[in-house]
Amino acid sequence: MRGFVVVNKINDVFYLDCDTEFTNHINAQAVEQGLLEAGNYDTKILDPSMVMQLFSPLFMSQWFLIEQRKNPCTSITCENGFIFVFKQLEDLLIVAISREKPDTEQFLSKKIGVFIRVVEFLFGPVTNEMGYSVFCRRSDRWTFLQNLMKTWELLRKEEHSFLVEAIERLHVNQLVNEKCMESLEYAMSRLQSAGEKNIHHALLVVNSKLLSLYSNRSAPSLAESDVLCTILLARLLFPTNEKLEDLFSYRKPDDSGSTTEEMKSPASITVTPPLERYESAVEGDDSLDEENYLSATETITKTKLPESPYPAVSEHVTEEETPTAEPIKGTDMMGEGFATPDSASPVTDIHKQLIKDNTGRLTPVGRSRSRTFDGMITGRVTPGPGRARSRSLNVDQQGQRDMPSIQRSSSPLPKGEPIQPVSPVIRSSPDHIRQTAFLSTQLCNFYPYQLDFVQIFPGMVIVLLSEIPRANHASSLCQLLRLLTDLLSGQKSQVQRVQGHVLYDLINTLLVKLATAMKKAKGNIERILEDIRRRWDNAEFKSSLLSYLEQGAGTEIPPGAERSLTGLHRKVKELFLHLYLYPYDIPPAVSQAMTSICEKAKVKLFDYKDYLSVKSQRNIVMTSYLDAFPGLVHFIYIDRRTNQLTAPSLNITDEGENHDATQFLKDKIWNMTCWMYGKLAEGVTVATAREGDYHYSYFMWFTDYQGAPKQIQEAYQEGDVSIPPGILSGQFYSSLKRHCFPNCLPGSVNCYELIMMHVGLVNVQYIFTHRQMLAKQFFEASGDTQMNLVL
């Protein structure tokens, strides 16, 4: 029984996700208390108003503890097994509820942290967009978020990268790597020629592993948490059901033992473009305009894609023409239609018209740098040949961003025209989806980017990240929102109360800067800017605000000033919303470019698709370590400098007794890893445990930039870092290093983790020896230790 609720201070439900058991339980409680008439309601639907009425005492008590006592509850465990975990996000309260045995307080806290990260990744600082969206139906928005969280839970159970929250790179040979980099380089140049002048990064993702990354000169480094969120979004939009046994057995025997119809590998079950040219592994000429040939053994067929393990995702997000029944709808307090998580609410796509390809041969434009992965277990990201490294971000190209072909004008809607709700995602073809996201950079925590997902083969996706027009204003807007939020919450982290006029001048400077930069804006943006200026220039509000800022600590903000600040804060969020989250149509030139990119990549990677599918599931095998490390069953090594992991692959087959044995082994590893991270949250950096026939160990250690071990200066205690271990819920390891090494410069201390599983007969002495040998091997393979390794 699980539930996940987000409410505001007046208990309006902003988000609701629950299973059938939770729905039935709440409906039964509502009938018992007379809120519903028995037999006069749909048992499959949970009305958000019932949640609001039944849980109002709990929510109001928590808000009282937050605002008045400044000491809120973090969790509540009931006698009947229910666990409630609370987390505040600005003016929203997030509550995770569960009575499932596997769900612990640690897991629910992690789930809330990931949910907050996903919401900020999709909406930036405008978090209320998830509950009352201006541009999208609330039921579609909820369904999209629910499917995204379900995808995360599934990947956390299946992939090392989401278990320990680190990036897993795919290790391929030089030939395949060059082909991948050529495909990404072509994709960036082709999209630039279509009008997207500020494209920064191109990623090639195979299942849940990062294969290649290509960035231009002026691009800022990608944060590892943003890469994980991008992979998560790619798995949601283009789900796959690849199984390793399908890649090796192409004919399925029937009951009599004879072979029946041919079974295609998942990578080959795709609709190939007409007259696709056969390319061998040694061919170098890959031009598109020369004569195309077919192999004598090839036949072009259209085969139905395999069913996905993400039923809700594939139905509601990725299918173009899926006939679905009309969902049962209710009415919330705002008069909007809503649907419960268990009801089928399809995501309506308004961009279903396919664009015919009309592309020719293009030459890559501009100088860029390529980042490749050299070696099997190095963890290095090195520049490609002939391209320099640069970490500078050029934001002085506003004039080049506002290209007419982008169709992203400053006047999205005429004044007074109603906004029609659209789909949460924008699709131009079955293989191309566009989504806005907000990445963390050195300039801004919510820097707006446009993500174009192009599916090459099932499980193989190219992601192109381009800067949104007017993105350079996001830093000023986020700083302004932070200052207003601090004022409303009674916290003045920027300046002290006695410097109230300085704070007022700072806000005024930011507003003037925004108004000057967007003085030519028309439509809604012009109207919002005028409203903001009118509210800020109000003489009564200015006098009241300055008087409050000059008062001592503990002074309550005047009600009039609070109302004005709340209205101003809401208008600044509205401006951010219209600048970066307005759903623009995809220009035809961009749609044609995406078609060309997809076909070009299919031609280049056609010979290697099965190889990459196998490598994504058999990246590193444990047999490589058995001779050097006897008794070692499994290990996970994480370099927290770059948040990259190295671990042998675990493949679960569906046939024979090996399924149960391998799944049992995987469950042991996953459960003990979660237990080890629970100990880490309590301040334990070295732990060993023996359970049954296996011996488990966890090690965390720190080094300087030369690799010399560093002793912890200040002991880490439980509660010193409130963030759960990982990088999706927050910068846990950065906070840990700051606490343990308060006298060291940022970036001068490196952190590493190693999780090992041995057979039970292995002595603890040999476990520590294996730890030293593995750490030395990976450290030596990482190459130049003085290079700041970032993605």
Side-chain angles (χ1 to χ4, degrees), residues 272-447:
T272 57
L275 297 180
E276 183 174 36
R277 182 172 63 87
Y278 180 82
E279 182 182 3
S280 69
V282 296
E283 282 183 332
D285 187 7
D286 51 17
S287 59
L288 290 177
D289 56 347
E290 63 182 49
E291 187 176 0
N292 297 325
Y293 296 94
L294 284 175
S295 168
T297 59
E298 281 187 78
T299 56
I300 298 179
T301 58
K302 293 184 178 181
T303 311
K304 185 178 179 181
L305 293 175
E307 293 185 0
S308 166
Y310 311 81
V313 174
S314 58
E315 279 183 31
H316 304 315
V317 179
T318 62
E319 291 294 329
E320 285 293 319
E321 299 291 341
T322 304
T324 56
E326 182 69 17
I328 302 175
K329 293 185 176 181
T331 304
D332 64 354
M333 297 183 65
M334 301 296 294
E336 292 181 316
F338 68 90
T340 63
D342 296 322
S343 63
S345 174
V347 176
T348 307
D349 201 334
I350 64 173
H351 306 283
K352 294 184 178 179
Q353 182 179 5
L354 301 182
I355 308 297
K356 294 184 178 179
D357 182 41
N358 187 20
T359 60
R361 184 176 181 179
L362 295 172
T363 304
V365 180
R367 297 182 62 190
S368 303
R369 75 173 184 270
S370 61
R371 295 165 177 172
T372 62
F373 186 78
D374 296 329
M376 181 174 237
I377 48 177
T378 62
R380 291 186 63 187
V381 183
T382 59
R387 296 176 174 88
R389 298 177 64 91
S390 174
R391 296 187 180 87
S392 62
L393 175 61
N394 183 12
V395 294
D396 298 325
Q397 299 177 353
Q398 180 61 31
Q400 299 180 8
R401 294 192 186 98
D402 299 330
M403 301 296 293
S405 60
I406 300 292
Q407 296 184 2
R408 208 174 180 91
S409 63
S410 60
S411 178
L413 278 179
K415 186 175 181 179
E417 182 177 339
I419 299 175
Q420 299 297 328
V422 297
S423 169
V425 296
I426 302 176
R427 182 192 299 268
S428 67
S429 70
D431 292 328
H432 173 225
I433 293 178
R434 170 168 285 187
Q435 173 69 44
T436 301
F438 298 89
L439 309 186
S440 177
T441 65
Q442 294 180 352
L443 296 178
C444 179
N445 290 331
F446 305 110
Y447 204 80

Side-chain angles (χ1 to χ4, degrees), residues 38 44 62 82 135 167-168 175 178 192 213 217-218 222 230 240 265 271 317 422 430-431 482 527 648 674 717 733 786:
K44 297 182 179 179
Q62 183 69 5
F82 274 102
F135 307 126
I167 299 170
E168 186 170 4
L175 177 62
E178 290 177 357
Q192 285 177 346
L213 170 65
R217 276 180 170 273
S218 61
L222 277 175
T230 302
T240 59
S265 67
V271 181
V317 179
V422 297
D431 292 328
R482 184 172 63 251
R527 174 181 54 81
C674 295
Q717 301 293 333
Y733 297 95
Q786 298 187 27

Side-chain angles (χ1 to χ4, degrees), residues 101-344:
K101 290 183 178 180
D103 293 351
T104 61
E105 180 182 343
Q106 175 189 354
F107 170 75
L108 295 179
S109 299
K110 169 65 68 175
K111 185 176 181 179
I112 291 177
V114 173
F115 177 79
I116 293 174
R117 182 68 183 88
V118 165
V119 169
E120 291 178 343
F121 183 76
L122 294 176
F123 310 126
V126 192
T127 53
N128 56 340
E129 179 69 8
M130 66 176 165
Y132 296 100
S133 176
V134 180
F135 307 126
C136 177
R137 282 185 295 269
R138 193 175 74 166
S139 58
D140 292 341
R141 183 72 78 197
W142 284 10
T143 301
F144 186 77
L145 287 173
Q146 290 161 9
N147 291 334
L148 198 57
M149 292 303 297
K150 290 176 182 177
T151 305
W152 168 77
E153 289 191 30
L154 179 61
L155 291 177
R156 189 176 183 269
K157 296 177 181 177
E158 299 296 331
E159 300 289 344
H160 288 104
S161 56
F162 285 88
L163 173 66
V164 300
E165 296 184 8
I167 299 170
E168 186 170 4
R169 302 296 297 263
L170 200 60
H171 314 300
V172 297
N173 57 44
Q174 185 64 26
L175 177 62
V176 178
N177 187 61
E178 290 177 357
K179 292 292 183 181
C180 295
M181 299 309 300
E182 290 172 3
S183 299
L184 295 182
E185 183 180 9
Y186 173 81
M188 292 185 66
S189 61
R190 182 67 180 88
L191 190 57
Q192 285 177 346
S193 65
E196 297 284 354
K197 299 301 182 182
N198 294 289
I199 178 170
H200 286 173
H201 306 281
L203 292 80
L204 181 55
V205 178
V206 181
N207 289 334
S208 300
K209 297 178 177 62
L210 179 62
L211 175 56
S212 300
L213 170 65
Y214 191 93
S215 302
N216 64 22
R217 276 180 170 273
S218 61
S221 299
L222 277 175
E224 294 85 353
S225 59
D226 290 331
V227 176
L228 282 180
C229 289
T230 302
I231 294 174
L232 175 62
L233 196 56
R235 289 298 300 267
L236 169 74
L237 300 177
F238 296 106
T240 59
N241 187 19
E242 291 187 328
K243 297 179 181 178
L244 193 64
E245 58 266 23
D246 294 338
L247 297 172
F248 294 110
S249 58
Y250 285 84
R251 292 188 177 275
K252 181 179 179 180
D254 56 15
D255 296 336
S256 61
S258 61
T259 57
T260 57
E261 60 180 355
E262 183 179 2
M263 293 179 61
K264 297 285 186 180
S265 67
S268 62
I269 332 180
T270 183
V271 181
T272 57
L275 297 180
E276 183 174 36
R277 182 172 63 87
Y278 180 82
E279 182 182 3
S280 69
V282 296
E283 282 183 332
D285 187 7
D286 51 17
S287 59
L288 290 177
D289 56 347
E290 63 182 49
E291 187 176 0
N292 297 325
Y293 296 94
L294 284 175
S295 168
T297 59
E298 281 187 78
T299 56
I300 298 179
T301 58
K302 293 184 178 181
T303 311
K304 185 178 179 181
L305 293 175
E307 293 185 0
S308 166
Y310 311 81
V313 174
S314 58
E315 279 183 31
H316 304 315
V317 179
T318 62
E319 291 294 329
E320 285 293 319
E321 299 291 341
T322 304
T324 56
E326 182 69 17
I328 302 175
K329 293 185 176 181
T331 304
D332 64 354
M333 297 183 65
M334 301 296 294
E336 292 181 316
F338 68 90
T340 63
D342 296 322
S343 63

Side-chain angles (χ1 to χ4, degrees), residues 125 395 398 438-439 441 443-449 467-482 510 513-514 518 572 576 579-580:
V395 294
Q398 180 61 31
F438 298 89
L439 309 186
T441 65
L443 296 178
C444 179
N445 290 331
F446 305 110
Y447 204 80
Y449 273 85
E467 186 180 302
I468 289 180
R470 292 201 179 98
N472 56 340
H473 302 321
S475 178
S476 298
L477 281 170
C478 290
Q479 186 180 1
L480 182 59
L481 285 172
R482 184 172 63 251
L510 291 172
K513 180 180 178 180
L514 289 171
M518 292 182 282
V572 175
F576 191 97
L579 281 174
Y580 305 123

